[in-house]
């Protein structure tokens, strides 16, 4: 294989040949991600196992997450000019085998050690290749709402800053991971609905400084007491809209970063650089229904659900290089910087070792670097580590140390969790916009309606005036015509009469007069008839005119009635408009009221959840120091510290919650589909159940039944954990213990324990079973339904808090058995011995954790009080533990009990004499 290394060194494998074989010999760090896939891919790995294809994280909904091992790649730096001269006669100290993902570290010319990594990158690997296999799968995870970390570790001068922070302004092919990651992020986000913001920091001499603001040189770390997430609220957070502004920020940060000239590197970084990229994305196509085309606008707000936002965070860490003082030549202030760098890297190495070995204690607080990387190793982030090494045999020791760091990091497994939450602010803004749109539309319709009414009224008035004017003109014309015809007729009659008078005035003869008289009479008669006819005709015309006038008046009255109806409809429309305005105002008030109630409920739920978690943590911190002699319940031990620490604040919050919401409504929230709401609701119920005065109300309202239903139907481990804690609180009461058993509670708790992996969930389940173990009446039923087996099965967790609760339950059970045997209600061997608990008790009787040790010591004393158990305890090695307890136990009452048991048991006395134990 030495020949192979020479082939790589001499460059016989060209870059074209490497890129041609990429699909065959090089796999990305992600098992399920292909580096050639576009950033649009939504498939994420769920496991770190190298040869398995785990389920995708894209469908993960619970808080437990899925495991994802830290992926490690190794990158070899080419020889520099100094090494080409100084090491010309020596071969490289490493030999790379990228096809099989292996690296050989030469001990000498004949022997070498072989190591496997997730990716092996030769000195010919391009920056693009490094990005695709190391960082791109992590960037894809961040775009889907997960936290991700890309970190470079290695000796000073091996190319960490080149790999991560190279800007590539002169040669775009030389761009590092930071620049390429932001290019992919900006290409995949929508700047209208999504946001990207960055912080750029350095950890220098154990102080966190802002590289974007040189005056901000002492930033504090804040940890969320509920989730454990680490944040830096004092750091600058700059929103990124384009790639050019991001590159400019990187240039500003690099100018502020501390660097020095050493023998190993002319520009050696003297601080750890940390780039944090926060990506906030709206989830499209889910639970977002707000359309102006929907009917029934008055009830639209009832069907709205808040949009979902995914928040991913990408952390790129350029660690300062480890160095040996004798090789780097550091002195003065540079020497102090080197000491600080080596101390922080040493603290990081200790944490990696502890995580790789599954140690119970992780020294996370030994350095600010380990606190900042808390989520990257053993946390919820998807982490890729690239270790950089040099080929020089003079630095073989540093190269070996770097390789071993990478090997240990590959054993660290994280639990990847989706960062998804409801965007209530966005929903509120959308509702406000919709309300304003509805109000504007209503005002527009109202104005159009008023304009239409005004137009119709104006037209009606004009028509009425025109009709009246035309009618008056026609009447005046008819009257003048009638008057004229009448005067003309009178004048004609007068003229005829005068002519007739003149004709007869001459005194004609009698015959002539007679004839004339008769003629005149006949003419007068004819004239009278004509006049009568004219009068009759005039009467007809007058009657006709009268009819026309009546018709005109009827038309006027009709128009007036139409006008009145229009006015009436206008008044009705105004009334409808007023009603609509009132309805809109009522809906606005109802909306504000509902938003207020939602805000109050959320704040109360979050506050009480926080107080419950804080109380649990304080119980955990105080429980290992003060263990009471009696075997009371878990929460009874913590009642006094809880009261002293929290005062009346929590009680007032609970009372306020009862007053504003009511217990029935809180319990109804346990059955909603929204997982977050159920989690908050069950936390409130658990907090209420911690108060003895509330327990009876909760049970009577069906709270116990609802909690057991959650254990049976829910798959969310957070709900399991909090529900088990609430049941543990209720199990402090003897009446409630019988109800829990009668409703199959112990079977459900046993099933929950069998499927849980989270130590806190197991601790709550063990605490609930431990409370039930203290009831004399339930011994046989509890054992028959698998309670003892469940306790024994939970010791697989090995978490001290879980083991303490298991030990407490065993001690409670042993105490009840001892009491029953003394009273004569129980005969035969202990059920604990029959179920195989004794070996575990003997193994942990001298446990370092005092709560575990004290409970087991007390349980052994109770078992030993009855002669029927003596032989089993002797064969199981418990006799030696009893002797130790009687001599070394710090609790006087337990020492006394152990001594009295040993001296009163003939079987134990005979065995001690046989073993030659001098015991008085």
């Amino acid at each position: 294989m030495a020949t192979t290394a020479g082939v790589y060194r001499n460059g016989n494998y060209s870059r074209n040949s490497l890129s041609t074989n990429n699909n065959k010999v090089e796999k990305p760090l992600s098992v399920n991600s292909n580096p050639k896939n576009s950033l649009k891919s939504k498939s994420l790995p769920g496991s770190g196992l190298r040869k398995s294809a785990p389920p995708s994280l894209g469908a993960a909904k619970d808080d437990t997450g899925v495991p994802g091992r830290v992926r490690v790649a190794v990158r070899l730096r080419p020889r520099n000019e100094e090494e080409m001269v100084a090491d010309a006669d020596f071969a490289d100290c490493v030999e790379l085998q990228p096809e099989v993902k292996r690296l050989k570290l030469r001990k000498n010319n004949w022997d070498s050690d072989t190591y496997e990594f997730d990716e092996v990158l030769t000195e010919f690997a391009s920056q693009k290749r490094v990005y695709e296999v190391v960082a791109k799968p992590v960037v894809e995870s961040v775009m889907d709402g997960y936290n991700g970390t890309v970190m470079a570790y290695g000796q000073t001068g091996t190319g960490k800053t080149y790999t991560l922070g190279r800007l590539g302004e002169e040669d775009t092919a030389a761009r590092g991971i930071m620049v390429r990651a932001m290019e992919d992020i900006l290409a995949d986000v929508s700047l209208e609905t999504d946001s990207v913001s960055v912080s750029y920091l350095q950890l220098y001499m154990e102080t966190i400084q802002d590289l974007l603001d040189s005056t901000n040189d002492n930033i504090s770390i804040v940890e969320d007491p509920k989730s454990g997430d680490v944040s830096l609220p004092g750091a600058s957070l700059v929103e990124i809209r384009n790639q050019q502004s991001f590159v400019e920020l990187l240039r500003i940060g690099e100018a502020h970063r501390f660097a020095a000239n050493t023998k190993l590197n002319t520009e050696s970084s003297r601080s750890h650089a940390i780039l944090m990229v926060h990506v906030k994305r709206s989830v499209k196509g889910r639970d977002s229904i707000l359309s102006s085309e929907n009917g029934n606008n008055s009830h639209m707000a009832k069907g709205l659900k808040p949009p979902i936002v995914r928040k991913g965070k990408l952390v790129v860490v350029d660690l300062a290089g480890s160095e040996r003082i004798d090789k780097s030549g550091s002195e003065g202030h540079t020497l102090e910087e080197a000491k600080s760098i080596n101390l922080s890297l040493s603290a990081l190495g200790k944490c990696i070792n502890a995580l790789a070995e599954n140690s119970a204690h992780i020294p996370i607080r030994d350095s600010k670097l380990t606190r900042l990387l808390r989520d990257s190793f053993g946390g919820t982030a998807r982490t890729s580590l690239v270790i950089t090494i040099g080929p020089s045999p003079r630095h073989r020791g540093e190269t070996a140390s770097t390789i071993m760091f990478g090997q240990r990091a590959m054993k660290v497994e994280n639990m990847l969790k989706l960062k998804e939450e409801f965007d209530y602010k966005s929903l509120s803004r959308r509702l406000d916009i919709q309300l304003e749109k509805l109000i504007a539309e209503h005002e527009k319709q109202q104005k159009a309606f008023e304009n239409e009414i005004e137009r119709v009224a104006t037209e009606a008035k004009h028509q009425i005036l025109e009709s009246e004017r035309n009618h008056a003109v026609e009447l005046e014309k008819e009257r003048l015509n009638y008057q004229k015809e009448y005067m003309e007729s009178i004048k004609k009659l007068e003229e005829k009469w005068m002519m007739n008078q003149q004709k007869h005035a001459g005194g004609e003869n009698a015959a002539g007069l007679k004839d004339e008289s008769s003629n005149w009479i006949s003419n007068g008669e004819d004239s009278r008839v004509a006049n009568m006819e004219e009068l009759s005709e005039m009467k007809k015309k007058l009657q006709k005119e009268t009819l026309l006038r009546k018709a005109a008046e009827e038309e006027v009255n009709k128009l007036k009635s139409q006008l009145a109806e229009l006015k009436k409809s206008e008044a009705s429309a105004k009334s409808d408009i007023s009603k609509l305005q009132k309805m809109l105002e009522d809906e606005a008030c109802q909306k504000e009221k509902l938003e207020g109630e939602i805000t109050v409920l959320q704040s109360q739920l979050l506050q009480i959840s926080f107080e419950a978690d804080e109380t649990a943590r304080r119980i955990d911190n105080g429980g290992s120091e003060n263990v009471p002699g009696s075997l009371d319940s878990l929460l009874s031990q913590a009642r006094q510290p809880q009261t002293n620490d929290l005062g009346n604040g929590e009680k007032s919050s609970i009372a306020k919650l009862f007053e504003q919401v009511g217990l029935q409504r809180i319990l109804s929230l346990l059955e909603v589909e929204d997982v977050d709401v159920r989690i908050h609701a069950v936390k409130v119920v658990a907090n209420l159940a911690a108060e003895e005065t509330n327990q009876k109300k909760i049970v009577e309202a069906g709270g116990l039944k609802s909690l057991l239903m959650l254990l049976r139907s829910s798959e969310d481990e957070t709900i399991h954990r909090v529900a088990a804690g609430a049941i543990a609180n209720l199990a402090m009461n003897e009446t409630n213990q019988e109800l829990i058993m009668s409703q199959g509670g112990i079977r459900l708790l046993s099933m929950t324990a069998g499927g849980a992996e989270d130590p806190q969930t197991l601790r709550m389940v063990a605490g609930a079973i431990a409370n039930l173990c203290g009831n004399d009446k339930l011994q046989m039923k509890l054992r028959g339904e698998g309670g003892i087996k469940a306790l024994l099965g939970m010791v697989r967790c090995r978490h001290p808090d879980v083991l303490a609760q298991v030990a407490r339950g065993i001690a409670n059970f042993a105490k009840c058995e001892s009491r029953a045997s003394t009273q004569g209600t129980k005969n035969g061997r202990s059920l604990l011995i029959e179920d195989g608990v004794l070996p575990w008790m003997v193994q942990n009787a001298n446990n370092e954790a005092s709560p575990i040790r004290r409970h087991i010591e007390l349980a052994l004393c109770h078992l030993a009080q009855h002669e029927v158990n003596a032989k089993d305890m002797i064969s199981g090695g418990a006799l030696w533990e009893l002797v130790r307890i009687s001599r070394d136990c710090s609790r006087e009452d337990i020492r006394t009990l152990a001594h009295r048991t040993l001296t009163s048991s003939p079987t134990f006395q005979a065995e001690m004499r046989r073993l030659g134990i001098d015991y008085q």
Side-chain angles (χ1 to χ4, degrees), residues 707-714 719-720 723-724 727 748-749 752:
L707 292 170
L708 294 174
M709 178 270 294
L710 288 177
L711 292 182
R712 181 184 299 108
S713 61
S714 177
I719 293 178
H720 286 173
I727 293 172
L748 291 173
L749 290 170
T752 304

Side-chain angles (χ1 to χ4, degrees), residues 655-725:
K656 188 174 182 181
L657 189 66
F658 264 127
E659 181 180 352
Q660 294 185 354
V661 180
L663 181 60
Q664 287 292 346
R665 187 169 181 182
I666 295 173
L667 294 178
S668 66
L669 295 177
L670 298 176
E671 301 178 2
V672 300
E673 296 181 358
D674 195 311
V675 177
D676 290 336
V677 174
R678 278 194 292 172
I679 290 174
H680 288 308
V682 74
K683 286 183 178 181
V684 172
V685 174
N687 200 27
L688 292 172
E691 294 292 334
E692 185 176 356
T693 55
N694 299 330
Q695 293 178 1
K696 184 176 179 181
K697 298 178 182 178
I698 292 174
V699 173
E700 290 177 350
L704 175 59
K705 184 177 180 181
S706 298
L707 292 170
L708 294 174
M709 178 270 294
L710 288 177
L711 292 182
R712 181 184 299 108
S713 61
S714 177
E715 298 179 357
D716 189 283
E717 187 153 355
T718 301
I719 293 178
H720 286 173
R721 180 176 67 251
V722 183

